[in-house]
Amino acid sequence: MRAEMAVPADPAAVEGPAAGNRRRRAPRRWQLSGTRVLQIALALIALQLVVRAVVLSRGYFYWDDLILTGRSGSLSLLSSEFLFYDHDGHFMPAAFLAAGLATRLAPYDWLVPALMLLVLQALASLALLRLLRLILGRRPVILIPLVFYLFSPLTLPAFAWWAAGLNALPLQIGLAWVTGDAIRLCRTGSARHAISGFLVFAVSLQFFEKAVLVPLVAFVAVALIYRVDGRVRPIRTALSRGALFWAPALLLAAVWSLIYRLTVTTDFAPFDGASAIEMVRHATSNGLLPTLFGGPWTWDRWPPSPPWADPPEGLIAASWVLAAALVVASIVWKRRVAWVWIAVGAYVFVSVTAMVVTRSGADTTFELGQTLRYLTDSAVIIAIALALVLRAPVRAGRTAPGRGPTVASAVAAMSAFVAGSLVSTATFADSWQDNTTRDYLANARSALAAHPDVPLLEQPVSIWVLLPVAHPHNLVSRVLGPLPDRPEFAPATPELRMLDDDGRAVDAEVTWVRAIDPGPAQGCGHRIGSDLVELPLDGPLARWEWTVRLNYLSSADGEIVVSLEQGEPVVVPVRNGPNSVFVRLTGGGDLLELRAMGPDLALCVGSGPVGVVVPVP
């Protein structure tokens, strides 16, 4: 059974004796021992990690990272509210748990997420190396698909973004490891490979819902190995030999899919044919294809959006030509590899389709596909495809001198690819470094630590950190809540300050959008007791988040309840004597409603503004 899927030690074992004679007359090929090949592969992985570490050193927390950190700081790590949260259509309890542990360990210390990403990347690269060895043995040709995966810019944007990396990297690990276990199961029949593959599949599902495709990828890979090896019934053979894994994996996928549908609400965009075609074009022509050849070389960005691939037109055209030439040449050169490329196309099609139906809409730009993170796992699929093509037997008559690739041509192609990829990596790091969140959090940390005893009025963070579409996750209580040295975030405060766009605390005031009318009581204004009192405004307020300045005289320390006519009440502490308090209210209407909490508390409330908070000029 092992021999049926083992890589031939001698190409003549696949091609026949005559082909072996021709191969001996061919130009000199790779002359490396299996140990040396493995050493080179590990050195390449180490180099990849060094390059990626440099990228991370120039990155920082961004967008969803703040949401993950903010939720980690306010919820119990093992609560269903935290782990099973519907995060923009994603079901990722293990990713939330990892983010929660990092936040508990060191809130907003970038070193912890960076190390986490590097460890995950190392595991993904090692898992792929293991898979390539299972497909190709320790032959030097394993370096070709390995180099593609290690340095391809296709995996870069999802890696550098912590929240995206917690989805993408476990998926890549799952794809590579489970496929390797499926191959070993079909070779040996050992149940331990089925158990290992099942466990890794189960874990990868907890990081990213797209991992539901992992068993399917493993099955197709096994079937394609049988096909390129010349098996008559590759699908039936793959089904029977791997049944010990396929059956429980299918059951787990079904159960998990049910849980996913009960937990997550996915909004599908109305179908627009023209927009869908345009998004597909941006994702493939401007995004995926140039990365296959070391592109895109340049990136564009509209802060606070992430960078997206912005390849030159010449590279886009050349990528189409080179991709088509590679596919055609491989089919002409090798036997039974057409279905390999069909499988790759199907996987990319599924990925792009999922992006279009879940992310397209009136507020979505076509450049979304060029951010590459929706296609990043395709790098593993393409690496597997390259390995299968290299494994396949050469067609008769294609092994004469000059008919196949030589060592020199392979090394030259890989060197050109790595050079272009490093250029793309450097330009991406330059663009990714432009992140206002780093300075904002540093300034906010210092500002909050300097005033720990005065409550800070709830407010959104800078739009350059999180846009209002992220509400309520863009509120300072959510984003900055995990910081240890800070004041209380409250709906009311006696001293009005705000964090500016740089994260610095500045004195603030309330604009006079509306005003509280003067009260009827001479020398007092509005008398407030335990009964509800309505304070008229000088005009109506639309339903929104407003701040009111209450100028009052209180008979004692205590609490009052304040609300707009159409809104939720807020409990506000008051102090004995004449004072002012600033209250954040959500609602609208023509009235402000107040009452004291307790029969012994009485207040006089004068006129004051109702509006929005702005810095003092």
Side-chain angles (χ1 to χ4, degrees):
M1 184 183 300
R2 181 183 295 272
E4 289 176 340
M5 289 190 64
V7 179
D10 184 350
V14 172
E15 301 167 19
N21 292 334
R22 286 193 298 270
R23 179 62 60 91
R24 285 190 288 270
R25 295 194 300 269
R28 186 180 179 185
R29 305 288 172 175
W30 302 74
Q31 302 292 327
L32 293 174
S33 66
T35 301
R36 181 57 59 87
V37 169
L38 182 59
Q39 291 173 344
I40 294 174
L42 293 176
L44 288 170
I45 291 175
L47 178 59
Q48 179 213 29
L49 296 178
V50 170
V51 172
R52 292 296 171 92
V54 172
V55 173
L56 290 175
S57 70
R58 305 181 70 179
Y60 198 63
F61 296 96
Y62 169 77
W63 198 275
D64 286 35
D65 300 346
L66 307 180
I67 298 175
L68 266 61
T69 303
R71 297 188 74 251
S72 301
S74 59
L75 298 171
S76 171
L77 294 189
L78 299 181
S79 67
S80 59
E81 183 182 2
F82 178 69
L83 294 178
F84 301 139
Y85 175 68
D86 180 355
H87 181 61
D88 200 19
H90 293 305
F91 181 67
M92 41 189 259
F96 281 129
L97 181 59
L101 293 174
T103 302
R104 292 289 196 277
L105 181 63
Y108 289 122
D109 184 344
W110 179 240
L111 178 62
V112 177
L115 291 175
M116 189 178 293
L117 290 170
L118 282 176
V119 169
L120 289 173
Q121 181 62 77
L123 292 175
S125 299
L126 291 170
L128 183 68
L129 174 60
R130 169 182 179 260
L131 173 59
L132 296 177
R133 289 178 60 197
L134 290 169
I135 297 175
L136 294 170
R138 291 190 178 185
R139 297 159 55 194
V141 289
I142 70 169
L143 299 178
I144 295 175
L146 181 64
V147 164
F148 169 78
Y149 172 78
L150 294 180
F151 299 101
S152 174
L154 180 57
T155 63
L156 187 60
F159 165 81
W161 184 358
W162 184 34
L166 289 176
N167 293 153
L169 289 169
L171 173 58
Q172 294 169 37
I173 294 169
L175 287 169
W177 187 269
V178 173
T179 301
D181 273 346
I183 292 173
R184 299 192 70 182
L185 172 63
C186 292
R187 286 181 180 175
T188 66
S190 174
R192 68 186 181 92
H193 301 306
I195 296 172
S196 171
F198 181 84
L199 293 176
V200 173
F201 170 48
V203 171
S204 63
L205 272 177
Q206 309 314 308
F207 283 91
F208 191 19
E209 65 276 1
K210 195 176 181 180
V212 74
L213 297 176
V214 165
L216 178 60
V217 170
F219 172 77
V220 172
V222 171
L224 287 172
I225 289 176
Y226 281 129
R227 175 169 175 76
V228 300
D229 285 354
R231 294 285 300 193
V232 177
R233 296 183 177 89
I235 294 178
R236 180 179 299 180
T237 304
L239 280 172
S240 61
R241 294 189 183 279
L244 199 59
F245 171 70
W246 312 133
L250 181 61
L251 178 61
L252 175 60
V255 172
W256 176 90
S257 297
L258 178 61
I259 296 174
Y260 176 81
R261 292 306 305 159
L262 294 175
T263 306
V264 174
T265 301
T266 302
D267 296 325
F268 296 102
F271 181 75
D272 181 342
S275 296
I277 292 173
E278 192 65 17
M279 183 169 283
V280 170
R281 183 183 71 82
H282 278 260
T284 53
S285 290
N286 295 19
L288 173 66
L289 281 172
T291 65
L292 304 184
F293 305 98
W297 302 340
T298 58
W299 307 77
D300 200 355
R301 191 177 188 184
W302 298 333
S305 71
W308 65 80
D310 186 28
E313 291 295 330
L315 177 59
I316 296 174
S319 298
W320 276 104
V321 173
L322 289 172
L326 177 64
V327 172
V328 172
S330 66
I331 294 174
V332 171
W333 177 39
K334 292 294 189 86
R335 300 169 59 190
R336 299 184 291 269
V337 298
W339 278 103
V340 173
W341 297 120
I342 292 173
V344 172
Y347 190 91
V348 171
F349 174 79
V350 169
S351 298
V352 173
T353 300
M355 177 191 69
V356 171
V357 299
T358 60
R359 292 293 183 259
S360 63
D363 298 326
T364 303
T365 64
F366 297 134
E367 287 76 12
L368 177 70
Q370 294 168 238
T371 61
L372 302 179
R373 65 182 183 271
Y374 296 98
L375 298 171
T376 188
D377 44 296
S378 299
V380 176
I381 306 302
I382 295 170
I384 296 173
L386 291 174
L388 292 174
V389 169
L390 292 169
R391 177 189 176 96
V394 177
R395 289 185 183 275
R398 295 293 174 182
T399 55
R403 293 294 185 88
T406 64
V407 174
S409 62
V411 171
M414 287 193 294
S415 298
F417 171 79
V418 171
S421 298
L422 291 178
V423 170
S424 298
T425 301
T427 53
F428 173 85
D430 288 341
S431 180
W432 187 237
Q433 189 177 23
D434 183 15
N435 186 351
T436 58
T437 303
R438 186 192 301 270
D439 291 339
Y440 182 91
L441 288 180
N443 292 332
R445 189 191 297 262
S446 299
L448 297 183
H451 302 277
D453 300 325
V454 180
L456 184 68
L457 198 67
E458 183 70 280
Q459 57 193 274
V461 298
S462 167
I463 61 171
W464 302 108
V465 174
L466 275 177
L467 289 173
V469 295
H471 184 84
H473 302 295
N474 68 324
L475 298 176
V476 292
S477 62
R478 302 289 187 98
V479 176
L480 304 177
L483 294 176
D485 300 322
R486 60 170 179 80
E488 176 187 1
F489 299 107
T493 181
E495 298 179 22
L496 187 59
R497 300 191 318 278
M498 65 179 296
L499 300 179
D500 64 14
D501 283 344
D502 296 322
R504 296 185 176 89
V506 296
D507 293 332
E509 62 185 5
V510 180
T511 60
W512 291 75
V513 175
R514 291 288 183 262
I516 302 171
D517 286 341
Q522 185 69 27
C524 178
H526 300 276
R527 294 188 183 277
I528 308 299
S530 57
D531 295 330
L532 185 68
V533 178
E534 296 180 342
L535 281 63
L537 303 178
D538 63 356
L541 285 171
R543 188 172 184 85
W544 192 248
E545 293 175 343
W546 303 103
T547 299
V548 56
R549 174 172 178 163
L550 292 178
N551 300 311
Y552 67 89
L553 174 64
S554 176
S555 62
D557 292 346
E559 294 180 326
I560 61 174
V561 178
V562 184
S563 67
L564 288 167
E565 180 182 16
Q566 304 163 2
E568 296 298 320
V570 171
V571 176
V572 178
V574 293
R575 296 176 296 175
N576 182 38
N579 294 286
S580 293
V581 65
F582 302 88
V583 186
R584 180 182 173 89
L585 300 170
T586 300
D590 300 305
L591 302 171
L592 195 66
E593 300 176 340
L594 281 78
R595 66 178 177 85
M597 297 182 67
D600 299 328
L601 180 63
L603 294 90
C604 293
V605 177
S607 181
V610 181
V612 296
V613 178
V614 296
V616 174

